[in-house]
Amino acid sequence: MNVWIAIGATVVGCYAVKLAGLLVPAGALERPVVKRLAALLPVALLAALTAQQTFADGQTLVLDARAAGLAAAAVALLLRAPFLLVVAAAVVVTAGVRAMGAG
Amino acid sequence: MTDRTVLEDADIGAKTDRAVVRDALGVGVAVGLSGFAFGVTSAGGGLTLLQTCALSLLVFTGASQFALVGALAAGGSPFTAAAGAFFLGVRNAFYGLRLSQLLALPRAVRPFAAQWVIDETAAVALAQPTRRTARLGFVVTGLSLYVLWNLTTLLGALGAEAIGDTDAWGLDAAGPAVFLALLAPMLKTGTERAVAGLAVLLGLGLLPVLPAGVPVLLAALAAPAVLWADGRRRVGQGETR
C-alpha cells in the first residue's frame, strides 16, 4: 500500500510540473536565479543518487562490486560510448567482479 | 523556373524531415531500450509487475522512476521517496517553458503533450531550426520513446522475475550507471562540479545517520549553497576591482 501511495504522489507531482511548464506564461520563471537553480538541482540530486546507489547497503557505506561497475561506466562515458553501452559496461563488470568472488 | 524552385524546396524539406525522423528515432530507440534496465531494477527492488508498469506508463521520466524505486528499496518512506522523484522531475517544467514557445501547441493539446516533455524530446525538438521540424522531432521522439520504454519496462520486470537474483547478474549497477550517464553531460563548468562534489559528500555523509531518502533531499541543498557561494565570490571580485 505504501508503494502505491509513493507511486500516486510521484505520478501527480511529475505530471503537474511537466504541464506547468507548458501552461505558465513565458517569462514567469525566466529569472536568472531560478533558471540557474533549476539547472543545478538535477546535478546535485543525480550526483547524490549515483554515490548512494553505488556505496550504500541499507544505511551502511560499503565498497563492493558496484564500485567497479560504476568505474567502468565512467570510462565508457569518457570514451563517449552510447548510453546503452555505458549501462551495459557497469552491469557486465559488476557481474564479473561478483563472479570472481569479490564483493 | 518557379516550378523547379518549388520542387527543390520540397526536396530539401523532405530530406530535412527524413533527417529529423532519423535523429528522433535514434534517440527514442536507444533510450527506449533502457526501460529494460528500469524494469529489472524496479522488480529487483521489490515492486510488483503492475507497480513497475504503472510507473513507466504514468510517470514517464526515467531519473525520477529510478530514484523512486531506489529509495523504496532502501526502505525510505513513501513521501521522502516521492519527494526525491518529484524534485528530479522539476527540470521538465523548464523544458516545457522553452518547448511551449517553440512548438506553439493549441491549449487543448497541451495536457496530452505534457506527458512527453522530458530530457530526450526537449533535446531533439530544441535542436531543430523550424517550428515544423521541432514539432516532428518532438512527436517522433516522444512516441517511439514512450512505446519502447513501456514495452522494455514490462520485459525487464518479467525477466527479473524469471532470473530471480538480479544482483548476481550485476543488474543493481544499472541504476547508478543511468544516473551517471545523465549527470556527465551536465558537468560543464566548475560550478556544476562543485555542486556534484558537495552533493556526494552530503548524500554519503548523512546516509548512516538519517532515515532513508532524507539524505538525498538534503544533498539537493548543494545547488543553492554553491549558487550562493558563487554569487558572493562574484560580488567580492567586483568590489576589489
Side-chain angles (χ1 to χ4, degrees):
Chain A
M1 193 60 216
N2 268 349
V3 174
W4 281 116
I5 293 172
I7 291 173
T10 306
V11 167
V12 172
C14 285
Y15 180 73
V17 286
K18 286 176 179 176
L19 188 63
L22 290 182
L23 291 187
V24 297
L29 295 172
E30 291 288 315
R31 288 175 54 208
V33 176
V34 178
K35 283 174 85 172
R36 286 295 286 155
L37 198 59
L40 287 177
L41 212 54
V43 173
L45 287 164
L46 289 171
L49 285 165
T50 306
Q52 284 192 355
Q53 297 201 0
T54 307
F55 299 109
D57 184 12
Q59 280 201 288
T60 41
L61 299 180
V62 294
L63 189 65
D64 63 15
R66 286 171 297 173
L70 201 75
V75 171
L77 281 168
L78 287 174
L79 295 174
R80 302 188 181 280
F83 188 83
L84 275 181
L85 204 61
V86 172
V87 178
V91 169
V92 169
V93 169
T94 303
V97 171
R98 282 214 181 101
M100 289 188 300
Chain B
M1 199 62 192
T2 336
D3 279 343
R4 190 179 292 167
T5 318
V6 169
L7 265 177
E8 277 170 1
D9 277 357
D11 199 36
I12 292 164
K15 264 182 199 158
T16 320
D17 282 1
R18 272 204 300 274
V20 174
V21 169
R22 201 177 52 225
D23 288 353
L25 281 178
V27 172
V29 170
V31 182
L33 288 177
S34 57
F36 188 78
F38 173 72
V40 170
T41 304
S42 180
L47 272 73
T48 65
L49 187 68
L50 191 63
Q51 289 166 338
T52 300
C53 290
L55 279 173
S56 278
L57 283 165
L58 302 174
V59 175
F60 190 57
T61 176
S64 295
Q65 293 178 224
F66 272 104
L68 184 75
V69 299
L72 289 174
S77 89
F79 296 105
T80 52
F86 171 77
F87 285 126
L88 264 177
V90 167
R91 70 189 189 290
N92 291 327
F94 291 83
Y95 294 142
L97 273 179
R98 297 176 63 190
L99 285 173
S100 80
Q101 291 168 40
L102 179 66
L103 302 175
L105 299 168
R107 283 215 156 245
V109 177
R110 288 182 202 177
F112 303 99
Q115 187 68 328
W116 287 355
V117 176
I118 53 171
D119 299 294
E120 292 80 10
T121 51
V124 172
L126 292 171
Q128 302 307 326
T130 65
R131 173 161 297 158
R132 218 179 75 85
T133 50
R135 282 178 169 175
L136 185 66
F138 178 81
V139 169
V140 175
T141 310
L143 185 64
S144 59
L145 192 44
Y146 191 79
V147 170
L148 267 176
W149 177 258
N150 281 290
L151 208 63
T152 53
T153 295
L154 175 66
L155 292 176
L158 289 172
E161 284 177 2
I163 65 175
D165 182 12
T166 51
D167 287 6
W169 295 85
L171 290 165
D172 53 339
V178 168
F179 289 136
L180 190 67
L182 291 172
L183 173 66
M186 294 181 187
L187 301 177
K188 279 173 288 208
T189 70
T191 308
E192 279 89 1
R193 290 182 200 128
V195 169
L198 184 59
V200 167
L201 288 179
L202 285 170
L204 293 183
L206 298 172
L207 185 84
V209 292
L210 290 174
V214 178
V216 167
L217 299 184
L218 291 177
L221 294 176
V226 169
L227 205 58
W228 179 78
D230 254 22
R232 278 189 59 101
R233 214 185 51 206
R234 264 186 217 138
V235 169
Q237 279 171 352
E239 276 165 5
T240 50
R241 267 177 219 154

